[in-house]
Amino acid sequence: MLAAARRKVVGQALLKVRQVAVVLPESYAAGGSERCYPVGNTRHFQTFCLPFLKGGQFKGDIRRSKLFQASGLQWSRSFASDNGELVDAVVPFMGESITDGTLATFLKQPGDRVAVDEPIAQIETDKVTIDVVSPEAGVIQKFVAIEGETVTPGTKVAVISKSDAGTTHVAPSEEKSVKDAPKTTATEEQGVNKGVSSVPEAPAKEKPKPPSPLPSRTSASEPQLPPKEKERRVPMTRLRKRVATRLKDSQNTFAMLTTFNEVDMTNLMKLRSEYKEAFAEKHGVKLGLMSGFVKAAVSGLQHQPVINAVIDGEDIIYRDYIDISIAVGTPKGLVVPVIRNADKMNFAEIEKEINRLAKKATAGTISIDEMAGGSFTISNGGVYGSLLSTPIINPPQSAILGMHSIVSRAMVVDGTVVPRPMMYIALTYDHRLIDGREAVFFLRRIKDVVEDPRRLLLDI
């Protein structure tokens, strides 16, 4: 009897919580039997997960009613606290392939005033840096997380007071001991009756999570060096760890071989010099050399489609699209944004996309979706003064083109020695899939198109 009465009370509480006055778009599955609603018309919830009792139906203001089968309730954005004057800033959804990140740094301090959607902290993941933003305008009351801590989507980072009064400074270590303690107050019950979103506490007490062991800083093959004077030890960032792992995996997986050629940049540089002002006036972006190499790479991939393919197990996947990845060096590490459908773009569209992606990569605001995929990579080490290099393949691609610095060298043209602006280019490729013949022909196509861009107009 007592168990039946308890289930009845819990069921009534869940029905009360369903009366949240929010507008929710069509749901998507979050895993298991949970149903999640990404909310775009409110600052209080970025992802609204509604796992109710079996057969329960949400009765709030929903565009499409849904049935749910689950047993919990989760929030992944900030929500109102007991008195309605406090909101919580939490870690946002970080991407399909990212489950956690490291709280790298706080951009604000307790007592600082923040605006709506103003970044207050940065989460460093394996791929990108993600901002934790303030859901409301107000004053930071306290931090409830610690720099260097591993966090997951939905983890509370800070408490924002929408009023100036009552701002207190609480050390993260003091708050850490009580941030996970569930409390139910009469104010919450009143909030449910008035339509204010509150989280009901489950009757069953959750088991505390065991502390995760600290990652080992040393290995058998990499002994830790003894400390010395005038040295400082700094932990590797997650992005740097990820880059190191991927590059080493690339060396271990691919049979990499590099072939070289040299390109006379005279005609491409002359083309840019003659039309750069008219190009900028019409398209609002500068005409650079990178768009010429992207178009040349597209032409080369169309002539040698195996360069655009990839090995998958015992099969070869040939791609009927060309997505060019552009390696961009940033202060936090190397990122590789992707130019989608580069084969369908003209010079102006390529320059605009490169400019947009480069700015976002440098500012650390580039998204995971903008770096996902890519069938071929171009790396321009020449902007840093590199004369020659052997680039490493970006998995799961099969080849990468390396550009280098332009140097005036003595060249023989029509029997006469003349100075010419020359660039070495390198193609590193997976020799398991690509033979030397295809690799050399690809670089020859790059050379022919860059030295005579008119070939692109005549398709020869």
Side-chain angles (χ1 to χ4, degrees), residues 182-214:
K183 293 183 180 180
T184 304
T185 65
T187 309
E188 285 180 319
E189 293 296 331
Q190 293 176 359
V192 170
N193 296 330
K194 293 180 181 180
V196 179
S197 59
S198 301
V199 182
E201 297 296 336
K205 184 178 180 181
E206 295 183 358
K207 296 181 180 180
K209 296 181 180 179
S212 57
L214 294 176

Side-chain angles (χ1 to χ4, degrees), residues 371-447:
M371 296 189 294
S375 58
F376 182 79
T377 297
I378 299 178
S379 176
N380 186 7
V383 296
Y384 308 112
S386 172
L387 180 64
L388 193 62
S389 69
T390 56
I392 298 178
I393 297 173
N394 178 28
Q397 300 171 14
S398 297
I400 179 174
L401 175 68
M403 298 169 54
H404 300 92
S405 58
I406 301 173
V407 178
S408 181
R409 298 203 303 271
M411 304 296 295
V412 179
V413 179
D414 297 330
T416 305
V417 178
V418 295
R420 290 285 191 174
M422 304 298 295
M423 174 192 289
Y424 288 119
I425 56 176
L427 179 73
T428 299
Y429 58 97
D430 185 359
H431 208 356
R432 299 176 305 163
L433 174 64
I434 304 167
D435 294 330
R437 175 179 178 272
E438 286 82 8
V440 171
F441 282 172
F442 176 83
L443 274 191
R444 283 293 303 272
R445 183 62 185 176
I446 298 288
K447 175 181 174 68

Side-chain angles (χ1 to χ4, degrees), residues 94-116:
M94 297 185 288
E96 293 293 338
S97 60
I98 300 179
T99 58
D100 58 37
T102 301
L103 180 56
T105 182
F106 285 109
L107 304 177
K108 301 290 183 178
Q109 296 297 327
D112 290 350
R113 180 175 295 279
V114 292
V116 176

Side-chain angles (χ1 to χ4, degrees), residues 51-73:
F52 286 103
L53 294 179
K54 183 177 181 180
Q57 185 174 2
F58 188 80
K59 296 183 179 180
D61 185 8
I62 308 180
R63 246 176 255 176
R64 299 176 178 88
S65 297
K66 297 286 182 180
L67 295 177
F68 307 96
Q69 296 182 2
S71 60
L73 182 63

Side-chain angles (χ1 to χ4, degrees), residues 31 84 99 137 189 196 250 280 289 334-335 396:
T99 58
E189 293 296 331
V196 179
S250 177
L289 298 178
L334 181 69
V335 295

